[in-house]
């Protein structure tokens, strides 16, 4: 029998999908029901196939506009009735067609301590700016690029001998920790959003429901 309290999670990727094993390997309080990609060659699709998870590819190159691509993506995802859509290295700028379809149930992981370094090449830019702390962020997606209520962040120290690659590797290790944690908080209905601020509610204590009790 299916557990109606468990969330249905859809994941979108564009590349190697190194975040997938951490999502698949941790108790999320929900089930990943589909993994989609805008690139047929995305290595992460192999992880989906190996795990026996439904998957699909919709290439952005087949559409004349961002909006048309986003509409097709929304339709494909809706077939799986997701409660939550997770962007795990999905490298597309989305339009309101997409963000509004999944408003308040769309989260993204970004390789910087937002609001610093939105966009691409975050590790190289962090080194150029000389920051001493860098990291990653899981946030709710809003129409504004790489901005939205922050659910979780993890910081790493920037060492003198770091390169973009070594920094990326350090940050990625943290991504794999905070992403399943953030997804689980969502699945447990523990995130309260007030403007850009997210607070974490305590785990709910479900009352024990007596069955077969005498009626008075
Ligand atoms: C991750 O570092 C993720 O934070 C980043 O792409 C990488 C994908 O890695 N996402 C973004 O830059 C989104 N703006 P993965 O394919 O190994 O999970």
């Amino acid at each position: 029998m299916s557990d109606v309290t468990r969330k249905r999670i859809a994941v979108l990727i564009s590349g190697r999908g190194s975040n997938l094993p951490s999502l698949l390997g941790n108790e999320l309080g929900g089930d990943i029901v589909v993994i989609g990609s805008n690139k047929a060659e995305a290595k992460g699709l192999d992880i989906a196939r190996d795990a026996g998870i439904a998957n699909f590819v919709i290439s952005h190159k087949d559409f004349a506009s961002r909006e048309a691509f986003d509409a097709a993506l929304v339709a494909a995802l809706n077939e799986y009735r997701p409660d939550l859509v997770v962007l795990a290295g999905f490298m597309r700028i989305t339009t309101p067609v997409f963000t509004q379809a999944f408003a308040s149930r769309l989260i993204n992981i970004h390789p910087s301590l937002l609001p610093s370094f939105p966009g691409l090449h975050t590790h190289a830019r962090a080194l150029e700016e000389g920051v001493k702390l860098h990291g990653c962020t899981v946030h709710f997606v809003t129409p504004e690029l790489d901005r939205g209520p922050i659910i979780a962040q993890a910081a790493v120290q920037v060492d003198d001998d770091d390169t973009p690659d070594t920094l990326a590797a350090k940050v990625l290790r943290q991504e794999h920790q905070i992403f399943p944690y953030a997804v689980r908080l969502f699945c447990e209905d523990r995130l309260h959003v007030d403007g850009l601020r997210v607070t974490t509610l305590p785990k709910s204590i479900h009352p024990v429901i007596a069955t077969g009790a005498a009626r008075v």
Side-chain angles (χ1 to χ4, degrees):
M1 205 167 73
S2 68
D3 181 348
V4 290
T5 63
R6 288 181 72 80
K7 303 275 195 255
R8 297 173 61 83
I9 305 166
V11 183
L12 291 179
I13 59 167
S14 295
R16 74 194 149 172
S18 79
N19 273 287
L20 290 175
S22 75
L23 292 172
L24 289 165
N26 280 284
E27 173 49 49
L28 302 174
D31 302 301
I32 296 178
V33 293
V34 66
I35 296 175
S37 171
N38 62 317
K39 293 192 174 178
E41 68 275 18
K43 286 264 174 287
L45 287 171
D46 292 335
I47 298 173
R49 290 180 198 115
D50 289 349
I53 294 173
N55 53 88
F56 66 81
V57 177
I58 298 182
S59 172
H60 55 277
K61 292 183 184 159
D62 293 340
F63 296 86
S65 67
R66 284 189 187 277
E67 286 77 9
F69 168 68
D70 281 1
L73 202 52
V74 169
L77 287 167
N78 276 338
E79 285 188 28
Y80 294 88
R81 296 178 287 107
D83 299 301
L84 172 67
V85 177
V86 172
L87 307 183
F90 183 61
M91 305 305 279
R92 291 290 302 167
I93 293 175
T94 54
T95 69
V97 171
F98 184 76
T99 53
Q100 279 168 15
F102 300 115
S104 304
R105 53 191 177 114
L106 178 59
I107 68 177
N108 177 48
I109 189 153
H110 182 76
S112 78
L113 291 173
L114 291 173
S116 294
F117 310 119
L120 298 173
H121 311 301
T122 54
H123 310 303
R125 287 160 58 209
L127 288 173
E128 271 162 33
E129 292 290 341
V131 297
K132 300 298 181 201
L133 287 175
H134 184 46
C136 49
T137 303
V138 182
H139 64 98
F140 283 104
V141 176
T142 60
E144 206 179 334
L145 179 70
D146 294 333
R147 187 154 167 84
I150 291 172
I151 302 167
Q153 290 186 305
V156 301
Q157 189 172 303
V158 181
D159 294 318
D160 291 349
D161 58 354
D162 265 326
T163 66
D165 284 346
T166 61
L167 199 48
K170 277 198 264 190
V171 170
L172 203 59
R173 279 197 290 278
Q174 295 304 315
E175 290 189 31
H176 299 166
Q177 300 294 317
I178 65 167
F179 212 5
Y181 167 73
V183 169
R184 184 170 181 158
L185 290 179
F186 180 94
C187 290
E188 291 177 345
D189 295 319
R190 291 176 61 194
L191 299 174
H192 174 75
V193 182
D194 182 9
L196 278 176
R197 197 138 186 243
V198 180
T199 48
T200 307
L201 305 170
K203 218 170 172 168
S204 68
I205 299 159
H206 297 287
V208 177
I209 300 166
T211 52
R215 289 199 187 159
V216 284

